């Protein structure tokens, strides 16, 4: 049943956020490339592709890199910027040609909100406060004078601000008690400039670490706007994660089963947050999520380059459904990462670029951006996908009503072996027509390559019927469908 006239919470478009770290070929060779004359510039093809998925925000410069990054290394004349070693990711040389101005040009061209993660681990409150002042203050000050000298008169519109990254691990190996104090210290000096104030996002828990959430919310919750949970889907172990494309049905099932676990994580972290913040002022931000596979054979292990198959697309779809369903608390998320790293939207090779199956899910789900979440239930017993004595739900979905009053439903069939027919009633709207698109392929591991860039891409969908108030959708095996009801 879809209650088209009900709905309370808005699915924030910020759930569909991206993540660009100075890691492998995400920035360099991804967003940022060298022309024949040796000049660095933003890639127009990448920007055009990302504009189509309406990227709402881009998290930068990390990740673990953020707590090693000193922002003043990345401003001023490029040839005068220091060259450093990226000790976090492969000890490669970082020439700092992509810094604050270049990042903010990127977000402006994407029409996306910046989401800067400041350095807590190896930085100081002064360094972070000056970065905030440099990008946000509209008056006379040492930092605005420096900004002017570097060619930018007016401040940018920056609001989303991370106070450290994974401070329980690569960001400083802190306890939650210690981090809560450090957070308050850093956050105190991120000044409000009139109505311009940062939306301060604290390091949140690693997966099931409910103790972290409890202590940080208890000790620092009143100064926090967002709490950043990180959860990666790893099919095998961290030492042997498994291949992105060479896998069996067992690994298909496990990937989806582990991806669905984020529902439990969100429910339990949200319950802890409710104890300190019953009015849900503080957003739960899923600031890093996605499938983490072994790197592609022959590539630098420190670059985290992996292929992306139909399995990744389904993991993205079911994860986004879960975030959508928790729209009351989950108001931001960032898939890791945008280009050439982990569960990417785009892979590049020289001048060439391909869109991954995950990219197509983000494109199909644009219909939910800033739309009202609608209650969605299915008739009859919930279909289950069974595999070797275990089972998970066979169908996942989200329904929403956009600003024009159109109702969209996204449905995913997790079962690779059988089609499922979903029947439901549409209440509270007169619907006479339905149209849709589908993302599927014949093989579990179907993926796009530079030779076959369109092996997995959306196609028109004919398996939807509306008759009176009845909606019937015939979901092909291992597919994602978006339906528009009119
Ligand atoms: O996304 C890759 C890394 O995973 C990030 O840098 C870090 O925050 C996380 O552990």
């Amino acid at each position: 049943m879809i209650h088209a006239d009900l709905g309370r919470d808005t699915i924030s478009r910020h759930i569909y956020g991206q993540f660009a770290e100075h890691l492998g070929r995400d920035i360099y060779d991804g967003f940022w490339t060298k022309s024949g004359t040796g000049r660095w510039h933003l890639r127009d093809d990448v920007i055009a592709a990302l504009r189509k998925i309406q990227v709402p925000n881009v998290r930068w410069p990390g990740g673990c890199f953020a707590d090693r990054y000193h922002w003043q290394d990345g401003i001023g004349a490029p040839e005068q910027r220091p060259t450093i070693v990226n000790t976090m990711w492969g000890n490669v040389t970082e020439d700092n040609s992509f810094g604050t101005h270049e990042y903010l040009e990127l977000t402006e061209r994407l029409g996306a909100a910046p989401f800067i993660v400041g350095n807590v681990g190896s930085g100081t409150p002064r360094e972070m406060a000056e970065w905030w002042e440099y990008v946000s203050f509209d008056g006379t000050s040492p930092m605005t004078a420096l900004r002017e000298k570097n060619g930018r008169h007016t401040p940018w519109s920056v609001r989303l601000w991370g106070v450290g990254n994974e401070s329980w691990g690569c960001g400083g190996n802190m306890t939650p008690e210690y981090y809560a104090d450090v957070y308050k210290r850093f956050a105190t000096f991120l000044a409000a400039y009139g109505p311009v104030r940062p939306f301060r996002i604290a390091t949140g828990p690693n997966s099931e670490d409910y103790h972290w959430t409890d202590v940080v919310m208890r000790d620092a919750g009143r100064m926090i706007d967002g709490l950043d949970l990180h959860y990666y889907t790893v099919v095998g172990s961290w030492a042997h994660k498994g291949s992105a494309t060479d896998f069996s049905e067992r690994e298909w099932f496990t990937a989806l089963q582990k991806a669905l676990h984020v529902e439990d994580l969100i429910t339990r972290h949200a319950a802890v947050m409710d104890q300190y913040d019953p009015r849900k002022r503080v957003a739960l931000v899923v600031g890093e999520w996605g499938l983490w596979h072994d790197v592609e054979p022959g590539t630098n292990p420190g670059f985290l380059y992996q292929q992306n198959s139909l399995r990744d697309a389904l993991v993205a779809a079911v994860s986004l459904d879960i975030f959508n369903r928790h729209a009351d608390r989950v108001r931001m998320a960032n898939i890791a990462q945008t280009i050439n790293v982990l569960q990417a939207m785009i892979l590049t090779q020289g001048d060439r670029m391909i869109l991954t199956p995950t990219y197509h899910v983000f494109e199909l789900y644009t219909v939910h951006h800033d739309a009202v979440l609608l209650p969605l239930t299915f008739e009859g017993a919930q279909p289950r996908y069974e595999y070797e004595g275990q089972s998970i739900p066979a169908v996942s979905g989200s329904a929403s009503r956009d600003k024009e009053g159109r109702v969209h439903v996204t449905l995913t069939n997790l079962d690779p072996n059988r089609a499922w027919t979903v029947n439901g009633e549409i209440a509270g709207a007169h619907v006479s027509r339905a149209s849709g698109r589908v993302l599927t392929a014949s093989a579990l591991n179907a993926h796009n390559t530079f030779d076959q860039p369109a092996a997995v891409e959306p196609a028109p969908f004919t398996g939807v019927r509306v008759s009176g108030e009845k909606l019937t959708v015939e979901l092909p095996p291992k597919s994602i469908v978006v339906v528009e009801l009119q």
Side-chain angles (χ1 to χ4, degrees):
M1 164 90 91
I2 301 166
H3 294 272
D5 54 345
L6 297 182
R8 184 194 59 189
D9 301 312
T10 296
I11 301 172
S12 170
R13 69 183 186 286
H14 288 293
I15 284 177
Y16 296 83
Q18 295 290 328
F19 178 19
E21 180 165 9
H22 288 243
L23 191 182
R25 298 190 302 115
D26 197 342
I27 306 272
Y28 302 101
D29 272 0
F31 289 104
W32 193 234
T33 192
K34 242 181 201 169
S35 63
T37 59
R39 201 183 63 82
W40 285 106
H41 61 94
L42 291 168
R43 280 183 74 138
D44 293 334
D45 54 349
V46 161
I47 288 175
L50 292 175
R51 284 184 67 87
K52 284 202 187 121
I53 59 171
Q54 299 168 30
V55 172
N57 68 73
V58 183
R59 185 172 185 258
W60 174 84
C64 296
F65 183 76
D67 284 289
R68 287 150 183 80
Y69 184 61
H70 300 286
W71 69 273
Q72 294 223 15
D73 290 349
I75 56 170
E79 58 286 358
Q80 282 164 21
R81 297 183 193 179
T83 293
I84 60 162
V85 184
N86 185 338
T87 51
M88 187 64 222
W89 300 115
N91 282 339
V92 295
T93 299
E94 160 68 60
D95 71 0
N96 279 304
S97 57
F98 189 90
T100 300
H101 289 248
E102 293 75 20
Y103 163 70
L104 291 164
E105 182 192 340
L106 168 69
T107 53
E108 278 183 347
R109 287 189 58 190
L110 289 175
F115 173 6
I116 290 180
V117 181
N119 179 346
V120 166
S122 67
T124 62
R126 177 178 179 172
E127 182 182 13
M128 191 186 289
E130 287 184 341
W131 198 5
W132 165 247
E133 181 185 319
Y134 186 88
V135 296
S136 303
F137 187 50
D138 192 10
T140 305
S141 82
M143 288 304 116
T144 55
L146 186 58
R147 187 179 73 214
E148 291 248 12
K149 189 171 147 234
N150 291 329
R152 174 85 184 197
H153 177 62
T154 51
W156 293 271
S157 178
V158 180
R159 295 293 179 276
L160 306 172
W161 197 277
V163 181
N165 169 75
E166 295 193 354
S167 308
W168 37 261
C170 65
N173 288 301
M174 302 178 202
T175 62
E177 290 81 5
Y178 183 72
Y179 174 72
D181 280 348
V182 168
Y183 172 86
K184 285 185 282 189
R185 181 163 172 240
F186 275 74
T188 298
F189 301 102
L190 294 173
Y193 301 122
V196 176
R197 63 173 291 269
F199 184 89
R200 296 172 300 194
I201 299 172
T203 284
N206 179 17
S207 308
E208 289 88 4
D209 189 350
Y210 305 107
H211 178 63
W212 181 279
T213 301
D214 189 44
V215 173
V216 172
M217 284 299 292
R218 182 194 69 201
D219 293 357
R222 68 187 168 79
M223 291 179 71
I224 293 174
D225 299 307
L227 187 72
D228 181 6
L229 160 71
H230 289 185
Y231 175 64
Y232 284 99
T233 301
V234 177
V235 176
S237 64
W238 278 100
H240 301 285
K241 296 180 264 306
S243 162
T245 50
D246 184 10
F247 59 86
S248 61
E249 187 177 343
R250 150 66 37 217
E251 290 153 319
W252 167 279
F253 181 87
T254 303
L256 290 164
Q257 189 180 41
K258 289 191 170 182
L260 292 170
H261 178 54
V262 80
E263 173 114 57
D264 190 41
L265 293 179
I266 290 171
T267 305
R268 293 181 63 181
H269 284 295
V272 177
M273 293 172 79
D274 283 348
Q275 289 172 32
Y276 303 102
D277 175 36
R279 302 179 70 163
K280 302 186 195 299
R281 183 190 61 79
V282 181
L284 184 58
V285 175
V286 190
E288 290 186 26
W289 68 275
L291 265 169
W292 192 322
H293 306 295
D294 287 335
V295 297
E296 284 303 299
T299 64
N300 187 329
F303 280 17
L304 309 186
Y305 176 76
Q306 61 189 44
Q307 247 295 358
N308 192 298
S309 75
L310 183 64
R311 179 176 61 162
D312 296 74
L314 268 84
V315 162
V318 302
S319 304
L320 292 167
D321 285 338
I322 293 167
F323 303 158
N324 290 346
R325 281 204 290 278
H326 290 269
D328 61 337
R329 185 62 93 171
V330 178
R331 299 199 284 273
M332 269 183 73
N334 299 80
I335 190 167
Q337 299 192 5
T338 311
I339 311 176
N340 295 325
V341 171
L342 299 179
Q343 191 174 345
M345 307 297 113
I346 291 175
L347 303 177
T348 66
Q349 190 179 77
D351 287 347
R352 300 203 289 169
M353 166 191 103
I354 54 174
L355 306 176
T356 65
T358 301
Y359 170 95
H360 293 305
V361 173
F362 273 70
E363 189 269 313
L364 295 177
Y365 274 60
T366 54
V367 295
H368 294 311
H369 290 204
D370 288 338
V372 174
L373 175 71
L374 298 176
L376 174 69
T377 49
F378 305 118
E379 260 174 28
Q382 282 284 306
R384 306 284 301 176
Y385 162 30
E386 296 189 9
Y387 185 76
E388 290 182 347
Q390 290 184 300
S391 80
I392 53 177
V395 176
S396 164
S398 303
S400 68
R401 186 182 62 244
D402 69 12
K403 292 199 174 80
E404 283 74 44
R406 290 173 303 206
V407 172
H408 293 99
V409 188
T410 45
L411 292 167
T412 297
N413 180 359
L414 288 69
D415 192 331
N417 303 313
R418 59 167 288 190
W420 282 98
T421 300
V422 172
N423 293 302
E425 258 178 56
I426 310 158
H430 177 74
V431 174
S432 53
R433 272 191 310 132
S435 57
R437 287 191 297 153
V438 60
L439 186 71
T440 188
S442 50
L444 294 181
N445 67 347
H447 56 279
N448 296 331
T449 64
F450 290 92
D451 294 331
Q452 279 197 299
V456 187
E457 64 175 13
F461 180 61
T462 52
V464 55
R465 285 191 311 281
V466 182
S467 151
E469 290 185 340
K470 266 233 159 308
L471 172 72
T472 306
V473 186
E474 284 162 18
L475 292 171
K478 50 175 163 31
S479 66
I480 300 152
V481 162
V482 59
V483 169
E484 180 169 308
L485 305 173
Q486 286 166 329

